[in-house]
Amino acid sequence: MIDLWQEIYGTIKRNKLRTLLTGFAVAWGIFMLIVLLGAGNGIIHAFEQNASERALNSIRLGGGWTTQSYEGLKEGRRIQLENKDLAATEKYFPDNIITAGATLRQGDVNISFGQEYINISLMGVHPNYVESEAIKTASGRFINRNDVKERRKVIILHKKSAEILFGKSRTEPVGQFVNAGGVAYRVVGLYEDQGDQSSLAFIPFSTMQTIYNKGDKLNNIIFTTKNLTSEAANETFEKEYRKVIAANHRFNPEDEGAIWIWNRFTQYIQTQNVAGLLRTAIWVIGIFTLLSGIVGVSNIMLITVKERTREFGIRKALGAKPFSILRLIIVESVTITTFFGYIGMVAGIGVTEWMNSAFGTQTADAGMFQARMFSDPTVDIGIAIQATLTLIVAGTLAGFFPAKKAVSISPIEALRAD
């Protein structure tokens, strides 16, 4: 056995370029497959996490601009949602809506406590906001119905905002009063969110409308649904809902520019379809990359065996058995493909781990929320090992068949080979 390994080492040492080319084909095929799968998984995992952190049965509505003239009114009108739209949402769809609420924003508000201050936006919300959005209560509580009903001056701060305002004085935030543009709010809770952004603080929706003179206007309507378990059912509901809002503001119900509806259920289905296509495309590209590695290994092994036909003839003339020559070729093939396959696998896993540390929690500002764009771009170790074994087997077979043919010819014919 020692002699065998010495022969393999000597062969590799004499043919460094050939060995490196074979090894590169193996390592590159494994490396690219793992990196492609890792990158694809990062995008797919981000889709899935974005969906899982928000209620899939929630819908958000916002005003837009009309693109069609209707009942004597010109196109290009701004549709501003109002309290009557929220009331109509709750009134006309009791069989499909669980809870409904609205949001209203006031930007550029200075909030201070003692000598510390921050500049953020205030968001007036209803209690159902926390049910449909990716925020969690870190301490205290969120806005409740009594806060909205009584127009209480209470506020929920982001935990990072609380650290800035109360960190130096080491004061417990919950229960303290902060000054927001001359209005005193009592802190009743702290929250944390997906993107760990601290640019928002929440107050009761009714308080926002009253203190900041918003009248009956609102920015968005958010509600959770029931009994809508298919894409077709959701599309039918959206059409009926558009008719109700269209009647309030006198625009064509078919005018999709007048209001926008973000239905997370239908978006989730579409995202899953896209993720499936992406997963398939990545596997196809990865498999062809792996096949290119297999072809490269096969070609190099074919050339290797052809070049060594004369050597095999000399071995046979000296009394070597065909089996010993075959064993030499097979062990050499397995050694090269295993070694370089392992290098490719480790390098690929290393790159995916780097992607995970560098971009694994990357988020993007999607306007009303923070969305993950890349998450956990890793590959199952089993897949990496299977891909490596596939190339090892391919390299072995690529060396076995031509070697078997070469050792089957007579020593005299082998010695005549160029």
Side-chain angles (χ1 to χ4, degrees):
M1 182 61 69
I2 295 176
D3 292 339
L4 175 65
W5 288 111
Q6 287 177 341
E7 285 191 54
I8 292 173
Y9 175 74
T11 302
I12 292 174
K13 191 174 181 180
R14 289 192 304 271
N15 300 276
K16 294 178 182 178
L17 179 59
R18 186 188 69 200
T19 302
L20 287 175
L21 290 174
T22 306
F24 178 78
V26 173
W28 184 254
I30 298 293
F31 174 79
M32 287 305 299
L33 176 64
I34 292 175
V35 170
L36 284 171
L37 289 177
N41 285 339
I43 297 173
I44 292 169
H45 291 161
F47 285 160
E48 293 174 346
Q49 289 185 24
N50 285 332
S52 66
E53 292 175 350
R54 292 179 172 85
L56 292 181
N57 64 327
S58 65
I59 294 177
R60 180 188 282 263
L61 172 73
W65 299 83
T66 59
T67 59
Q68 303 173 18
S69 58
Y70 186 71
E71 293 184 349
L73 299 175
K74 294 182 178 180
E75 64 181 46
R77 289 185 297 125
R78 175 78 170 92
I79 302 300
Q80 174 70 58
L81 298 178
E82 302 173 354
N83 288 344
K84 64 181 180 181
D85 298 312
L86 177 59
T89 300
E90 296 174 319
K91 177 181 178 181
Y92 293 107
F93 303 96
D95 295 332
N96 297 118
I97 292 179
I98 302 172
T99 58
T103 66
L104 191 57
R105 189 169 184 144
Q106 177 68 28
D108 194 26
V109 178
N110 288 321
I111 298 181
S112 62
F113 178 79
Q115 299 298 316
E116 306 299 326
Y117 73 94
I118 54 175
N119 183 274
I120 59 176
S121 296
L122 293 180
M123 179 80 80
V125 298
H126 284 78
N128 76 319
Y129 186 86
V130 74
E131 298 173 5
S132 57
E133 299 301 316
I135 65 170
K136 299 177 182 178
T137 302
S139 64
R141 65 174 178 83
F142 198 70
I143 303 297
N144 61 34
R145 291 187 179 278
N146 288 333
D147 294 332
V148 177
K149 182 179 180 180
E150 299 174 12
R151 293 181 170 82
R152 291 175 179 174
K153 296 177 183 178
V154 296
I155 192 169
I156 289 84
L157 297 173
H158 192 280
K159 62 179 183 179
K160 283 195 171 181
S161 299
E163 288 174 6
I164 296 172
L165 294 174
F166 303 98
K168 289 185 178 180
S169 62
R170 297 183 179 179
T171 304
E172 171 59 38
V174 177
Q176 301 298 320
F177 284 87
V178 295
N179 186 303
V183 180
Y185 289 93
R186 183 169 179 263
V187 180
V188 296
L190 304 179
Y191 78 94
E192 54 188 359
D193 60 3
Q194 183 188 73
D196 206 22
Q197 301 295 308
S198 56
S199 59
L200 279 179
F202 298 103
I203 65 174
F205 177 82
S206 56
T207 305
M208 171 67 77
Q209 282 190 324
T210 302
I211 292 179
Y212 298 97
N213 299 318
K214 300 292 186 179
D216 63 348
K217 306 300 181 184
L218 55 89
N219 295 140
N220 301 115
I221 294 175
I222 303 174
F223 53 90
T224 50
T225 62
K226 59 183 179 181
N227 302 325
L228 300 176
T229 56
S230 67
E231 191 171 5
N234 277 271
E235 290 176 354
T236 300
F237 170 80
E238 287 181 23
K239 288 181 180 180
E240 296 300 318
Y241 187 72
R242 282 183 179 277
K243 291 179 181 179
V244 172
I245 304 301
N248 283 346
H249 296 273
R250 295 180 64 193
F251 65 82
N252 188 341
E254 302 296 324
D255 186 355
E256 295 189 357
I259 58 172
W260 56 263
I261 297 177
W262 180 26
N263 188 324
R264 285 176 180 151
F265 180 84
T266 55
Q267 185 197 41
Y268 176 74
I269 293 175
Q270 293 166 1
T271 299
Q272 288 296 97
N273 293 335
V274 171
L277 291 174
L278 178 62
R279 188 179 285 109
T280 301
I282 289 171
W283 267 108
V284 169
I285 295 171
I287 288 172
F288 275 101
T289 303
L290 195 61
L291 286 174
S292 68
I294 292 173
V295 170
V297 172
S298 300
N299 288 335
I300 293 171
M301 291 306 299
L302 284 169
I303 295 170
T304 299
V305 172
K306 185 177 181 180
E307 288 177 349
R308 297 178 67 182
T309 302
R310 186 179 179 84
E311 175 192 334
F312 298 157
I314 295 173
R315 287 176 178 271
K316 289 185 71 176
L318 294 175
K321 295 181 179 180
F323 174 75
S324 65
I325 299 174
L326 278 176
R327 184 179 65 169
L328 175 65
I329 296 298
I330 291 172
V331 173
E332 183 181 328
S333 301
V334 171
T335 300
I336 294 173
T337 52
T338 301
F339 178 75
F340 285 98
Y342 180 76
I343 290 176
M345 182 180 71
V346 171
I349 293 174
V351 170
T352 59
E353 290 298 327
W354 172 78
M355 288 191 295
N356 190 30
S357 62
F359 311 108
T361 56
Q362 185 174 349
T363 61
D365 189 353
M368 299 169 293
F369 60 92
Q370 293 287 318
R372 279 193 178 91
M373 302 303 294
F374 208 64
S375 178
D376 189 24
T378 55
V379 178
D380 185 359
I381 188 65
I383 293 176
I385 292 174
Q386 288 174 13
T388 305
L389 290 176
T390 300
L391 271 179
I392 291 172
V393 172
T396 302
L397 294 176
F400 173 77
F401 290 109
K404 184 179 179 182
K405 181 179 179 180
V407 299
S408 65
I409 63 177
S410 66
I412 295 176
E413 291 179 1
L415 291 169
R416 290 175 180 171
D418 294 332

